[in-house]
Amino acid sequence: MLSILYNIIISPIELVLEIIFELMFKILGRGETNQGLAVIGVSLAVSLLTLPLYHRADMVQQKARDVQKQLSYWINHIKKTFKRDERFMMLQGYYLISGYNPLSALNGSISLLLEIPFFIAAYHFLSHLDVLSRASFWIIKDLGKPDALLHIGAISINILPILMTVINCVASAIYLKGFPIKDKVQTYGMAVIFLVLLYNSPAGLVVYWTCNNIFSLVKNIFYKLKHPRETAYILSAVIGTAVTIAVLSSGILTSTKKVIAILIFQCIAVLPLLCLVSKRYIRTAVKRASAPLCADDSYSFASFLLAGVFLTLLLGILIPSSVIASSASEFINLQEYRNPFLFLVNSTCYAAGFFLVWMGIIRHMLPQERRSALSLLLWIVSCACLLNYMCFGRNLGTLSPLLVFDNGISFSKGEKLINILVLCLLCGACAAVFRFKRLVLSLYVILILSAGGVSAFQIYTGQKELDGMAYIKDAPQKIDESIIPLSRNGKNVIVFMLDRAISGYVPYLLEEKPFLKEQFDGFTYYPNTVSYGRHTNFGAPPIFGGYEYTPVGMNSRPDKLLSDKHNEALKMLPVLFGKNDYAVTVCDPPYAGYREIPDLSIFKDYPFIKAHRLSGVLRNKEIEKVLYQAPLERNRRSFFCYSIFKALPPAVSKYFYDRGNYFSHIKNSLPKLFYEYSVLSLLPQITTIDNSKAGTFLSIQNATPHEAQLLKLPSYNMIGDNDSSYKTAADGHIRMDKTSHKAHYHVNMAAFLQLGKWLDYLRENRVYDNTRIILVADHGHYGLGQFDYMIMKHIYDKVYDTAFDVESVNPLLMVKDFNAKGFAVSGEFMTTADVPALAVKDVIPNPTNPFTGKEISDREKALHPQLITTSKKFKLNECKGTIFDTSDGDFLSVHDDIFKPENWEVVSP
């Protein structure tokens, strides 16, 4: 309950602090001293944003004091004259006659009550802000520690908290002039409490609160002037203009940042002057516009409350639940099972905090006419958010478990223009409709019931998927150090699937890191390789089952479910090798049991097969210390931020998306990559070598190349230093201008570097030469367009509305045979369905599929062109029948050389 209350009351403020902090960094840049400037910027921004709230609180407090002052004479007289029950009765009677409620005395503490949640939010956020650690600012050496600016012998004294308290006391003295003693005691007492609480706090937090106190001091001085508001307007205009001139004349900021800074400071300069000039006209216009709405406060309150409930449902439950329900398994932690729908608790708390609690506080402190205006505003916001979510930005690509789109997001100018026009019409319609009370309230009820019903259905369908995954919760995976057994004396065969490893990168990877060619000694690289689709559901079965399990091959057997045929493909090689007396190990079989997280029970009828889940279970502790906690902290807020992103107009949503960071100070911490990368980095530790004469077979899948992310250069590690000036071998040779280009190149290099270390381990333990290793990917990547010679301009890809890109079906294929030497490149036409034949060659006599009895060979590719599907219907819930529904795409035929345009054509299967 305490956590829920914190997320409702404090977390929304903390989120605003974090967004402002990151926005300051984007303007200032991440220089060594800019952390301190960002903290000051956050303090100033928060002070300005909360100024109207505190100003209204001061007015309420002053009104309460005036009432108490008017009543004080007779209250004191009654207290002196009467005792006990008589005193109580006389006071109650006097309060009743005067229309005074004793509880209204609490209004005198409103500022204090408002200050507490802001203090807690700032304390928690800045105390745990990693970027402040070891950051210097002016005379402060480390913003992440107490300042310790004064040393007397061995004793260090923190000066900033003392300075903060002095400024606080001066500001209070100016503000409290003429106030009663009890108010002064309360305020000075709080100053002392703040000194005690913050004395040993990080200097960054004290800088923030000191700036707040300086702002309060300036504000209190202005309050004592004859015309405080007008003076503040003029001063703001002067400062805004001066800073704008300074920015224009300096070369500190880049052109983009300079434009943003100028716009901000011009707003500071111009808007106050406009308010000053047109104050009377604006006030008259607001009164006239809101007059019809002010008559019924009950309607204003009802519409406000219903708007808060609807926005809480929409942003806190409906949008996040749709993401989780679409693939609930992706949000599961395999070591510590936790229902992913519990994330909805956090997002709902954030939404309720914003739209019910804090909006409610703001409404309570507004005068009547502005309350109605706020209700109207929320009515427009509710309709606009729903419209943006339902009609705009629906198809933005594949979303990762950390709510990051695979290829970023973009909106055309046409989409933005249409959205703006529709929103303008919507605002006018909402303003006109808002006068019809019953209609608006009825529409709110319909929206709330609809949002609640859809949310419940999404949670129900997602929970059904989770209920079918009891195998994860009831049988947690245990890891020992002998997962992969290899023999020195027998023959070992390894089929290693690297999900979405891109074949075209290989020459550049080897050129950039020449030692890789030595580590991959004995391998033959087949660049002229094609897969049978652009997704794992189409591309993985041929790797493990051969030509019987291509999309066309599986569709030709309509007597069995796709899930059964998929499982059959995964089991074919392990069963075949096992029946030929090989020790068999299977790790992370893709979509085993037709589930996102592999269901290893498909091997339960074969006791000779040792099956393991490694991804999400096997963790590199050294990397985990640095990164693992960060994604958990980020996920607490990401679902709500994702909802805001989906509800914003396309013209601004891209900026809030912030490349998937949503203005989070925690970056480059994708847990899926951490899980996959951990497995590769720990392969030497989980591999054991013995002297048995029996051969071994290993089938393993890893998705490190799939989880695109910028890594640390030049090491391509998840942790370490980053050399931003480092140039890869691919720069200038293929398209590397987009972040997605670089991110995919980075993770492919990371996979090769870790595999190279494992190959060295096998070599050192004298098991390399007697091991056949097949490295293969299930598909390439669509939408990158990095290789000009792979763009087939004569084939229109109707799924992605562009020319067909061979890179999407050009997977990695590298084979090291027994006792092979040197690194070779072969132009032979290959397909991923050749892998079973390569695996069994010369080690299993007369190999046949144990489930169908058909011969395992690679002859079929020479008999006819191969058929490749461009379908995008790859999700498991779209493949529940006996054949693939490829109606959204085409089948393409290819033969001999995949890089020749004349060898490609669109066909009907």
Side-chain angles (χ1 to χ4, degrees):
M1 286 302 298
L2 288 176
S3 177
I4 289 174
L5 286 174
Y6 184 92
N7 284 337
I8 291 174
I9 300 172
I10 308 299
S11 291
I13 303 174
E14 200 169 334
L15 178 59
V16 171
L17 292 176
E18 186 174 17
I19 290 174
I20 295 173
F21 184 83
E22 283 302 305
L23 187 60
M24 290 295 171
F25 255 150
K26 289 184 183 302
I27 295 174
L28 297 171
R30 295 185 178 271
E32 291 184 1
T33 61
N34 287 346
Q35 288 91 335
L37 292 175
V39 170
I40 294 173
V42 170
S43 176
L44 179 61
V46 171
S47 296
L48 289 172
L49 289 173
T50 57
L51 181 59
L53 196 62
Y54 280 109
H55 178 64
R56 183 63 185 169
D58 289 340
M59 292 175 64
V60 172
Q61 285 177 306
Q62 187 58 48
K63 185 177 179 180
R65 292 190 191 99
D66 292 341
V67 172
Q68 287 179 338
K69 189 174 181 180
Q70 291 174 4
L71 302 179
S72 61
Y73 174 79
W74 285 107
I75 290 174
N76 293 333
H77 178 72
I78 291 172
K79 287 180 178 179
K80 290 178 181 179
T81 307
F82 302 97
K83 295 182 180 180
R84 299 187 181 90
D85 291 343
E86 288 183 347
R87 175 194 291 176
F88 176 77
M89 295 299 295
M90 291 298 292
L91 284 173
Q92 291 301 312
Y94 180 62
Y95 292 151
L96 184 62
I97 293 170
S98 304
Y100 174 71
N101 185 350
L103 293 177
S104 62
L106 294 175
N107 289 339
S109 303
I110 287 180
S111 292
L112 175 61
L113 294 175
L114 286 174
E115 198 166 0
I116 291 173
F118 280 93
F119 171 77
I120 295 173
Y123 187 90
H124 184 264
F125 173 64
L126 293 172
S127 295
H128 296 83
L129 196 57
D130 294 336
V131 295
L132 296 184
S133 180
R134 295 183 298 278
S136 60
F137 176 67
W138 193 32
I139 58 175
I140 305 169
K141 294 182 179 179
D142 190 344
L143 289 170
K145 295 179 181 179
D147 61 87
L149 290 175
L150 181 61
H151 295 274
I152 301 176
I155 300 174
S156 298
I157 299 176
N158 301 324
I159 299 299
L160 280 179
I162 299 172
L163 178 63
M164 175 198 72
T165 306
V166 171
I167 295 172
N168 194 1
C169 290
V170 173
S172 299
I174 295 172
Y175 176 72
L176 295 171
K177 187 176 181 181
F179 279 50
I181 293 295
K182 67 174 185 177
D183 290 331
K184 294 181 179 180
V185 170
Q186 176 181 293
T187 305
Y188 290 128
M190 284 301 300
V192 174
I193 292 172
F194 271 66
L195 173 62
V196 174
L197 290 175
L198 297 179
Y199 184 77
N200 288 313
S201 295
L205 175 61
V206 185
V207 167
Y208 169 86
W209 218 255
T210 302
C211 292
N212 270 15
N213 290 341
I214 293 173
F215 185 87
S216 295
L217 175 61
V218 174
K219 179 189 70 174
N220 293 341
I221 291 173
F222 269 99
Y223 279 170
K224 300 300 180 182
L225 297 176
K226 190 173 182 180
H227 300 288
R229 184 173 297 180
E230 289 76 4
T231 306
Y233 287 167
I234 295 171
L235 185 61
S236 175
V238 171
I239 293 174
T241 304
V243 175
T244 301
I245 294 171
V247 169
L248 284 170
S249 60
S250 70
I252 299 174
L253 302 177
T254 62
S255 57
T256 304
K257 292 178 180 178
K258 186 176 288 188
V259 170
I260 295 172
I262 290 169
L263 289 174
I264 291 173
F265 289 115
Q266 276 301 295
C267 287
I268 294 173
V270 175
L271 289 180
L273 287 178
L274 290 176
C275 292
L276 180 62
V277 172
S278 58
K279 179 176 64 175
R280 180 181 300 174
Y281 302 102
I282 292 174
R283 186 176 297 174
T284 303
V286 170
K287 283 184 177 181
R288 288 178 178 175
S290 59
L293 308 176
C294 295
D296 191 351
D297 187 50
S298 60
Y299 168 56
S300 174
F301 176 73
S303 62
F304 167 81
L305 184 61
L306 290 173
V309 172
F310 171 69
L311 288 170
T312 299
L313 279 172
L314 177 67
L315 302 178
I317 302 179
L318 177 62
I319 298 177
S321 65
S322 69
V323 176
I324 299 174
S326 66
S327 184
S329 60
E330 292 192 55
F331 298 93
I332 291 178
N333 184 335
L334 290 182
Q335 279 194 336
E336 302 166 3
Y337 181 87
R338 181 175 183 261
N339 192 313
F341 284 108
L342 290 176
F343 283 121
L344 298 182
V345 176
N346 284 327
S347 60
T348 305
C349 287
Y350 273 92
F354 270 108
F355 298 108
L356 289 173
V357 175
W358 284 104
M359 280 293 178
I361 292 172
I362 291 171
R363 183 184 184 278
H364 176 73
M365 300 180 68
L366 290 175
Q368 176 58 36
E369 67 274 8
R370 295 185 184 178
R371 290 182 183 181
S372 299
L374 179 61
S375 297
L376 172 60
L377 176 63
L378 288 180
W379 164 242
I380 295 173
V381 168
S382 298
C383 295
C385 288
L386 183 62
L387 175 74
N388 290 329
Y389 172 63
M390 296 294 294
C391 303
F392 297 92
R394 300 293 294 170
N395 300 309
L396 297 174
T398 305
L399 193 67
S400 80
L402 215 70
L403 310 179
V404 178
F405 290 98
D406 251 9
N407 293 319
I409 63 169
S410 62
F411 298 97
S412 67
K413 292 182 179 179
E415 285 179 295
K416 294 177 182 178
L417 181 60
I418 292 172
N419 176 255
I420 291 171
L421 291 175
V422 171
L423 286 178
C424 290
L425 293 174
L426 179 71
C427 289
C430 287
V433 168
F434 194 67
R435 298 172 183 272
F436 301 95
K437 302 175 185 178
R438 290 186 179 180
L439 176 60
V440 171
L441 296 181
S442 299
L443 288 174
Y444 265 132
V445 171
I446 293 171
L447 290 175
I448 289 170
L449 292 176
S450 301
V454 173
S455 299
F457 176 75
Q458 289 175 163
I459 294 171
Y460 171 74
T461 55
Q463 190 59 48
K464 281 185 67 177
E465 178 187 349
L466 294 174
D467 291 341
M469 302 180 71
Y471 64 95
I472 298 173
K473 181 170 58 175
D474 299 337
Q477 185 73 32
K478 294 183 179 179
I479 293 294
D480 56 34
E481 293 184 356
S482 57
I483 295 171
I484 301 176
L486 297 175
S487 169
R488 285 195 181 94
N489 299 319
K491 287 187 175 181
N492 307 303
V493 178
I494 299 174
V495 175
F496 206 128
M497 176 183 141
L498 287 168
D499 196 337
R500 205 162 76 177
I502 297 175
S503 176
Y505 287 162
V506 172
Y508 303 103
L509 301 179
L510 300 183
E511 179 184 346
E512 183 177 339
K513 306 288 185 183
F515 59 82
L516 284 175
K517 198 172 267 191
E518 298 177 9
Q519 291 178 323
F520 285 80
D521 180 58
F523 275 87
T524 298
Y525 165 51
Y526 295 93
N528 186 24
T529 300
V530 70
S531 65
Y532 290 88
R534 297 184 283 205
H535 305 282
T536 300
N537 222 11
F538 305 130
I543 290 175
F544 300 99
Y547 286 93
E548 292 183 76
Y549 300 93
T550 65
V552 172
M554 293 174 76
N555 283 357
S556 67
R557 298 166 58 196
D559 57 318
K560 298 188 73 172
L561 291 172
L562 286 170
S563 57
D564 293 336
K565 288 178 278 191
H566 184 96
N567 292 336
E568 195 175 278
L570 295 180
K571 293 186 287 186
M572 191 193 78
L573 286 176
V575 171
L576 182 61
F577 275 93
K579 289 184 175 180
N580 283 271
D581 300 323
Y582 277 74
V584 178
T585 302
V586 178
C587 298
D588 292 329
Y591 289 172
Y594 238 38
R595 300 183 185 279
E596 293 279 351
I597 299 176
D599 183 357
L600 304 182
S601 66
I602 68 170
F603 302 105
K604 65 181 180 181
D605 295 331
Y606 307 97
F608 52 81
I609 298 177
K610 306 298 182 185
H612 304 277
R613 283 194 300 268
L614 304 182
S615 177
V617 179
L618 191 65
R619 296 174 177 175
N620 187 314
K621 299 298 182 183
E622 295 302 316
I623 304 175
E624 183 175 15
K625 290 177 183 177
V626 179
L627 293 180
Y628 183 63
Q629 293 301 323
L632 293 180
E633 283 295 313
R634 205 178 123 159
N635 255 346
R636 288 178 64 250
R637 69 191 289 280
S638 289
F639 277 102
F640 177 67
C641 290
Y642 174 80
S643 297
I644 295 177
F645 154 72
K646 293 291 285 184
L648 285 173
V652 296
S653 62
K654 180 179 179 180
Y655 301 101
F656 188 81
Y657 175 70
D658 188 29
R659 297 181 179 178
N661 291 307
Y662 304 99
F663 286 98
S664 173
H665 71 281
I666 302 171
K667 293 180 173 60
N668 295 327
S669 304
L670 299 183
K672 187 70 182 294
L673 176 61
F674 165 71
Y675 297 147
E676 302 295 337
Y677 184 85
S678 288
V679 174
L680 291 187
S681 67
L682 295 174
L683 283 176
Q685 297 182 27
I686 61 174
T687 302
T688 57
I689 313 297
D690 60 38
N691 295 312
S692 64
K693 294 182 179 180
T696 67
F697 172 77
L698 168 66
S699 170
I700 183 171
Q701 182 263 156
N702 184 268
T704 296
H706 189 282
E707 304 307 316
Q709 182 184 337
L710 295 177
L711 299 173
K712 303 297 182 180
L713 299 177
S715 65
Y716 293 93
N717 206 324
M718 290 194 74
I719 56 176
D721 296 327
N722 189 13
D723 181 1
S724 58
S725 64
Y726 185 81
K727 298 296 182 184
T728 69
D731 289 332
H733 296 90
I734 63 174
R735 287 194 177 91
M736 293 285 282
D737 51 321
K738 294 182 180 179
T739 299
S740 59
H741 294 160
K742 298 175 183 178
H744 281 89
Y745 183 88
H746 283 202
V747 292
N748 275 264
M749 176 65 88
F752 264 68
L753 291 173
Q754 294 304 320
L755 283 172
K757 294 177 182 178
W758 185 49
L759 298 179
D760 283 343
Y761 174 82
L762 300 183
R763 204 174 276 112
E764 292 167 4
N765 286 274
R766 306 191 310 280
V767 73
Y768 188 75
D769 289 336
N770 64 312
T771 300
R772 173 183 289 163
I773 304 174
I774 303 171
L775 298 178
V776 62
D778 50 344
H779 54 83
H781 194 286
Y782 50 89
L784 290 179
Q786 292 178 274
F787 303 88
D788 290 336
Y789 63 90
M790 292 193 193
I791 305 297
M792 300 294 140
K793 296 181 180 179
H794 68 295
I795 295 178
Y796 173 67
D797 186 348
K798 66 183 183 183
V799 175
Y800 292 101
D801 193 25
T802 183
F804 177 68
D805 186 2
V806 173
E807 184 180 6
S808 63
V809 291
N810 179 214
L812 173 73
L813 180 62
M814 294 173 63
V815 181
K816 187 202 80 69
D817 213 341
F818 303 115
N819 300 306
K821 301 295 181 184
F823 185 88
V825 179
S826 172
E828 181 183 355
F829 175 56
M830 304 290 285
T831 79
T832 52
D834 290 334
V835 170
L838 292 170
V840 301
K841 182 182 178 181
D842 299 331
V843 294
I844 295 181
N846 304 315
T848 59
N849 185 334
F851 301 103
T852 65
K854 291 187 178 181
E855 180 188 7
I856 299 174
S857 74
D858 61 355
R859 288 195 296 271
E860 187 170 339
K861 70 180 176 185
L863 301 178
H864 54 78
Q866 298 304 298
L867 298 182
I868 316 301
T869 179
T870 64
S871 173
K872 197 179 180 182
K873 295 184 178 181
F874 63 92
K875 294 182 179 179
L876 298 180
N877 58 8
E878 297 176 315
C879 305
K880 293 183 178 179
T882 59
I883 62 173
F884 289 115
D885 178 7
T886 57
S887 58
D888 65 317
D890 293 310
F891 271 95
L892 308 180
S893 75
V894 64
H895 60 89
D896 298 325
D897 189 342
I898 67 172
F899 304 119
K900 289 184 176 180
E902 60 268 24
N903 291 350
W904 287 90
E905 64 175 323
V906 180
V907 298
S908 298

